[in-house]
Amino acid sequence: MRCGVIGLGDMGSGLAKNLVKGGFETCGFDMTPARNAALADMGGTPLQSVAQVGAATDVVFVMVMTGAQAKAVILGDGGLLETMAPGGTVILTATIKPSEAREIGTALEGTSLRMIDSPVSGGFPGAQGGTLTMMAAGAPDLLDHCAPVMDAVSASIHRVGTTAGEGQTVKACLQSLLGSIFSATFEAAALAAKAGVPGQVIYDVFSTSGGGCGIVNTALQKIIDRQFEGTGSHINTMHKDLTISMGMAEDLGVPLHTAASAMQIFTAGRTKYPNGDNWVATRVIEEIVGAELHREAAK
């Protein structure tokens, strides 16, 4: 299968890199010239438009930021619906509202294209390492057909449904949990800083306790090393994902008390440090309490 990737940022570049590594002919497009150049460096073929990618591929991964962007790429003028050959497949790996994914799926019904709704989890390390978790919703035969290219970019593929929107629904539930874990970690880090506990001690204890997990461990490492920008996990992404989770909860009448608090913590971090990554929200809390957590060993 000839593969394409639309959106070559922190996540999309990882998809492209692992498709190339898996032996697939891979092209892509991004609005940022430097990202297109990086695709060439990794062995892929940068193209000049979505239309060119559609015309050159059998399977296209769409890894953009918003539902509006996804709809434009797939359904808009010069989009994949117009340019991919009959029988082509769109794999929607972007995280968007379930309702937006359903809208795209409905628009594709009766056309020559098919779609797999499969948002991913694993962040920048998972994308670059080819170890993402995929929450895939699509027809069983289509999932079987696309298994080789999905295997190339992931470590776990969960079949969570058969129709567009079901993958996004599972992702919204997951992000409500991850956002809450992140924000609790930020608060615990600030508490330790104010209490005078060395950052290395907190990391060693937390990472080997029942509270240790990928989210907690990564966040603490970034906090105690004061790495708040350029780590591949921009705060805008989690803020957007929590917005989706809260919106879905509102529609369903489900109270998300903890996720709502997390949303406010991420909003504060995003407002104060708009160029920061997820863990930069810790700095806002640290500034309130007047203490910072650094990587220093026990005294």
Side-chain angles (χ1 to χ4, degrees):
M1 285 180 278
R2 300 171 302 161
C3 297
V5 181
I6 304 296
L8 298 169
D10 292 328
M11 300 297 290
S13 63
L15 296 178
K17 180 177 77 172
N18 286 292
L19 289 168
V20 171
K21 183 179 178 181
F24 294 98
E25 180 183 336
T26 304
C27 65
F29 170 71
D30 194 280
M31 296 293 291
T32 304
R35 293 175 177 176
N36 290 322
L39 176 61
D41 291 340
M42 68 179 67
T45 303
L47 297 178
Q48 300 304 308
S49 66
V50 171
Q52 288 186 6
V53 173
T57 53
D58 305 302
V59 177
V60 177
F61 290 81
V62 176
M63 186 58 91
V64 293
M65 185 62 127
T66 68
Q69 291 170 341
K71 286 187 278 189
V73 164
I74 299 168
L75 305 175
D77 292 341
L80 300 177
L81 179 58
E82 291 184 356
T83 58
M84 289 188 79
T89 301
V90 174
I91 302 181
L92 179 61
T93 48
T95 298
I96 64 176
K97 297 176 183 177
S99 59
E100 293 170 324
R102 288 192 293 269
E103 182 180 341
I104 295 171
T106 299
L108 291 179
E109 290 178 1
T111 72
S112 61
L113 294 191
R114 304 179 77 186
M115 186 176 84
I116 295 173
D117 173 26
S118 185
V120 300
S121 183
F124 179 73
Q128 298 296 319
T131 58
L132 291 168
T133 294
M134 305 189 80
M135 291 149 267
D141 67 304
L142 184 59
L143 293 172
D144 290 341
H145 177 68
C146 292
V149 295
M150 296 172 73
D151 283 335
V153 302
S154 68
S156 301
I157 302 172
H158 299 281
R159 298 191 178 193
V160 301
T162 59
T163 61
E166 292 181 296
Q168 301 296 337
T169 298
V170 174
K171 179 66 183 287
C173 296
L174 175 63
Q175 293 306 88
S176 72
L177 172 63
L178 298 189
S180 299
I181 295 173
F182 267 133
S183 62
T185 304
F186 305 157
E187 291 182 332
L191 177 63
K194 187 65 174 180
V197 183
Q200 188 65 54
V201 171
I202 288 297
Y203 178 79
D204 290 344
V205 171
F206 282 23
S207 64
T208 57
S209 73
C213 65
I215 292 291
V216 171
N217 299 349
T218 297
L220 278 176
Q221 285 181 329
K222 303 304 182 186
I223 292 166
I224 64 179
D225 287 333
R226 316 309 289 174
Q227 296 178 344
F228 295 117
E229 292 186 16
T231 65
S233 299
H234 200 284
I235 195 169
N236 281 348
T237 302
M238 179 56 73
H239 182 272
K240 180 259 297 183
D241 290 356
L242 280 172
T243 300
I244 293 171
S245 300
M246 295 304 298
M248 188 175 83
E250 178 70 19
D251 291 342
L252 295 173
V254 178
L256 296 183
H257 301 291
T258 306
S261 297
M263 181 74 185
Q264 295 306 310
I265 289 174
F266 275 93
T267 298
R270 180 172 176 259
T271 300
K272 184 67 182 290
Y273 298 104
N275 296 319
D277 293 338
N278 288 328
W279 12 91
V280 79
T282 308
R283 293 189 63 187
V284 178
I285 307 172
E286 288 177 338
E287 289 163 4
I288 293 171
V289 303
E292 296 181 352
L293 192 67
H294 291 258
R295 186 186 287 274
E296 53 181 317
K299 299 175 182 177

